[in-house]
Amino acid sequence: MSATKIQPRLVDALREVVGRDGVIAAPDDCLVYECDMLVYYKGVPDVVVLPRSVAEVLAVVRLVLDAGVPIVPRGSGTGLIGGAMAPRGGVMIGVNRMDRVLEVDLANRHAVVEPGVINLGLTRMVEGRGYFFAPDPSSQMVSSIGGNAATNAGGPHALKYGSTVNHVLGLELVTGRGELLWLGGPVRERPGYDLTGVVVGSEGTLGVITKVAVRLTRAGEAVKTALATFASIEVASQAVSAIIAEGIIPAALEAMDEPVIRAVEAGIKAGYPTDAKAVLLIELDGPAAEVEVQAEAVARICQARGALSLRVAADDKERALLWKGRKEAAGAFGRITHNYVLQDAVVPRSKLPEIMAQVQAIAQSHGVMVANVFHAGDGNLHPMICYDERVSGQFDAALAASEAILDACIAVGGTVTGEHGVGMDKAQKLARLFNADDLAAMAAVRRVFDPRLLMNPEKVFPSGAACPEVPRVGAGKPVPEGMWV
Ligand SMILES: Cc1cc2nc3c(=O)[nH]c(=O)nc-3n(C[C@H](O)[C@H](O)[C@H](O)COP(=O)(O)OP(=O)(O)OC[C@H]3O[C@@H](n4cnc5c(N)ncnc54)[C@H](O)[C@@H]3O)c2cc1C
């Protein structure tokens, strides 16, 4: 039941702005929007509005702010944080119909897109001319560039290319004051505060992003993808640090442990050796000569660090299959567990072997199985803690294990979220990383854009208050079957 009272005249006014087909107000229809992909957190909006232009967004935001009603921006709803959902009800603004690529300027290597453009769609548009949009969350076939900017999405290739913040040159925002701002822009060097950087990763708490100017990246001349197998995930993790310590930054450096390999081979048949206890998927790209030298160095390092085998994909087809295994790993995982809790945390890369041992110890002490598929090069873990919801006590054990893993990551100098963001799920954890003054400064920044705290309330800062309070739930909730991260 929504805590917000929406007056019928507000709904009528919204219809006048976006047309009848742009307003969803029937409670059953609004149910579709009650959660993101972290289905544990639910909050049905009272009304969903689907504008087609920035002028419509501006008019909608102003009407809703005047009515004192919360606003929740939404892209494709693939978030894993309890972000694009409405805990207090209110008006959700879905930007999916704003899906035009407005400008592609290859001479200056940028594009300007509306927020509903799908991530992979932009790469598909420019790849024939040798360019790509580098942020590649595994959800890239579905997630929107506005959502990627709002969450500062990462992905396997963030290791070399950085996350979304490194690829957003500027953006247009309708703020929680009802103003329309352009922050940054296609020309890279700009004096003054980096307000684009403030908005990227702000998860809809400052306003609705209505345009994004993004960098386009030139594809490397050559690419090599290798699969190395190891006797344990700890040994594989040592190889990760050794590769980077050698001065090599692979385009991607991903790790999977034995339960994941088993699941992948049962479902996808990506060609991962089923007798391996761990694999590293290592991708190198760049000038052909450099890739060649680095590939030799990586093979030597892996061998010295105890690799049992190393295979380089012979062609694009084999390479695509190796990646399919990685990208669909968590989905395949549904074959070997009924449910799982997904955690997203980061440790310093050099701590990977230690944290992997701790994860296994935590799994044992909590009586659960934990499988690992993660962005090893970034130290970004995604432990999947298995349980069966039909067995009493298993869910609680999985949650407790998830919390213990997060605590262990923080204890070794890590942080509470790698790429998924804060949302409702991790809001209470921020106080473990930042002191009261830091948090108050963040809250003050928020008020500049959203003085009434109506933009995406209860996200990032619990209850939208100036000083974060401790809310009621823990981190890393169950994800739906069949998804991958
Ligand atoms: C299968 C799967 C794999 C994933 N893999 C990755 C991964 O590899 N890396 C990664 O980082 N994430 C990953 N994610 C999480 C998710 O896809 C990303 O966070 C993505 O950036 C969300 O985009 P979206 O369009 O779905 O946004 P939504 O889920 O709709 O929204 C996410 C947040 O952004 C806000 N928001 C959305 N659009 C706007 C806008 N126009 N203006 C202002 N605020 C807005 C919302 O209010 C919400 O707080 C994965 C998710 C799934 C389901």
Side-chain angles (χ1 to χ4, degrees):
M1 179 82 160
S2 164
T4 303
K5 184 106 185 79
I6 303 273
Q7 300 296 337
R9 66 172 180 275
L10 174 61
V11 180
D12 291 343
L14 293 171
R15 285 197 176 111
E16 267 179 40
V17 173
V18 295
R20 293 196 76 77
D21 71 337
V23 174
I24 300 168
D28 282 358
D29 296 340
C30 288
L31 261 186
V32 175
Y33 297 89
E34 70 174 348
C35 61
D36 63 11
M37 289 297 281
L38 190 50
V39 295
Y40 185 90
Y41 294 99
K42 291 200 164 70
V44 190
D46 296 286
V47 181
V48 179
V49 182
L50 305 170
R52 288 187 191 277
S53 68
V54 58
E56 289 185 2
V57 174
L58 190 59
V60 167
V61 167
R62 286 178 176 168
L63 279 171
V64 182
L65 288 176
D66 281 351
V69 166
I71 296 173
V72 179
R74 181 166 169 121
S76 300
T78 67
L80 289 167
I81 48 169
M85 39 74 68
R88 293 195 203 159
V91 174
M92 181 172 278
I93 301 181
V95 298
N96 313 71
R97 302 206 294 188
M98 296 172 67
D99 62 353
R100 290 174 305 155
V101 174
L102 300 172
E103 185 187 343
V104 173
D105 180 347
L106 291 183
N108 291 302
R109 298 195 178 184
H110 73 255
V112 180
V113 302
E114 290 186 323
V117 168
I118 300 302
N119 173 307
L120 195 58
L122 182 58
T123 287
R124 292 277 180 263
M125 183 174 270
V126 295
E127 65 188 352
R129 288 176 279 171
Y131 289 84
F132 66 109
F133 178 51
D136 66 334
S138 302
S139 58
Q140 69 184 145
M141 285 175 290
V142 195
S143 61
S144 68
I145 292 180
N148 296 162
T151 55
N152 188 20
H157 290 81
L159 175 61
K160 178 168 178 178
Y161 293 102
S163 36
T164 303
V165 70
N166 303 109
H167 300 273
V168 174
L169 297 165
L171 47 80
E172 187 186 70
L173 181 79
V174 175
T175 69
R177 286 179 185 271
E179 299 162 333
L180 180 65
L181 303 180
W182 243 115
L183 306 172
V187 176
R188 223 163 278 177
E189 298 310 327
R190 294 197 165 244
Y193 293 149
D194 176 13
L195 295 180
T196 310
V198 170
V199 174
V200 175
S202 62
E203 299 182 23
T205 58
L206 305 182
V208 184
I209 297 168
T210 46
K211 285 192 189 86
V212 195
V214 295
R215 180 171 294 166
L216 295 172
T217 303
R218 183 86 184 148
E221 182 191 357
V223 57
K224 262 189 202 297
T225 306
L227 188 80
T229 65
F230 294 86
S232 75
I233 192 73
E234 289 89 341
V235 180
S237 302
Q238 286 164 7
V240 170
S241 284
I243 291 169
I244 307 240
E246 185 93 359
I248 299 169
I249 305 290
L253 183 40
E254 300 285 299
M256 285 164 269
D257 69 3
E258 199 250 338
V260 177
I261 296 168
R262 245 190 309 130
V264 166
E265 285 312 302
I268 295 154
K269 305 209 184 322
Y272 300 171
T274 44
D275 55 350
K277 299 288 182 226
V279 295
L280 290 182
L281 189 60
I282 309 159
E283 184 154 286
L284 300 163
D285 70 2
E290 182 183 302
V291 168
E292 208 53 53
V293 172
Q294 290 189 340
E296 281 169 21
V298 164
R300 175 175 42 77
I301 295 164
C302 286
Q303 207 176 15
R305 294 289 166 161
L308 304 172
S309 68
L310 186 135
R311 171 163 64 92
V312 178
D315 51 30
D316 282 353
K317 196 169 157 213
E318 190 178 349
R319 185 175 156 246
L321 191 60
L322 290 178
W323 271 113
K324 186 171 161 66
R326 162 61 186 94
K327 293 218 165 184
E328 296 183 18
F333 206 62
R335 287 179 171 260
I336 62 172
T337 181
H338 202 263
N339 311 88
Y340 63 87
V341 168
L342 176 73
Q343 185 53 269
D344 168 42
V346 179
V347 295
R349 195 185 303 118
S350 59
K351 300 286 184 187
L352 277 176
E354 179 183 334
I355 203 74
M356 281 296 124
Q358 284 198 47
V359 167
Q360 291 318 317
I362 290 167
Q364 268 179 12
S365 65
H366 287 76
V368 292
M369 181 173 82
V370 178
N372 294 283
V373 47
F374 58 103
H375 309 308
D378 289 317
N380 183 186
L381 311 184
H382 285 323
M384 299 189 285
I385 302 118
C386 305
Y387 70 97
D388 185 337
E389 65 186 357
R390 298 164 302 182
V391 180
S392 160
Q394 280 204 4
F395 175 51
D396 289 340
L399 270 191
S402 177
E403 291 290 311
I405 291 171
L406 197 63
D407 289 344
C409 291
I410 294 170
V412 298
T415 178
V416 298
T417 169
E419 55 181 7
H420 295 164
V422 179
M424 296 196 76
D425 195 42
K426 296 278 173 84
Q428 75 278 23
K429 301 287 178 196
L430 286 199
R432 296 189 56 182
L433 293 180
F434 300 105
N435 66 31
D437 289 345
D438 297 341
L439 290 169
M442 288 188 215
V445 170
R446 180 190 182 169
R447 280 212 201 82
V448 170
F449 290 86
D450 177 30
R452 296 171 67 191
L453 306 180
L454 287 173
M455 294 304 310
N456 216 1
E458 299 196 26
K459 317 295 165 54
V460 185
F461 298 111
S463 73
C467 289
E469 307 149 4
V470 177
R472 55 206 177 280
V473 283
K477 297 303 176 294
V479 291
E481 217 177 295
M483 55 161 287
W484 30 269
V485 287

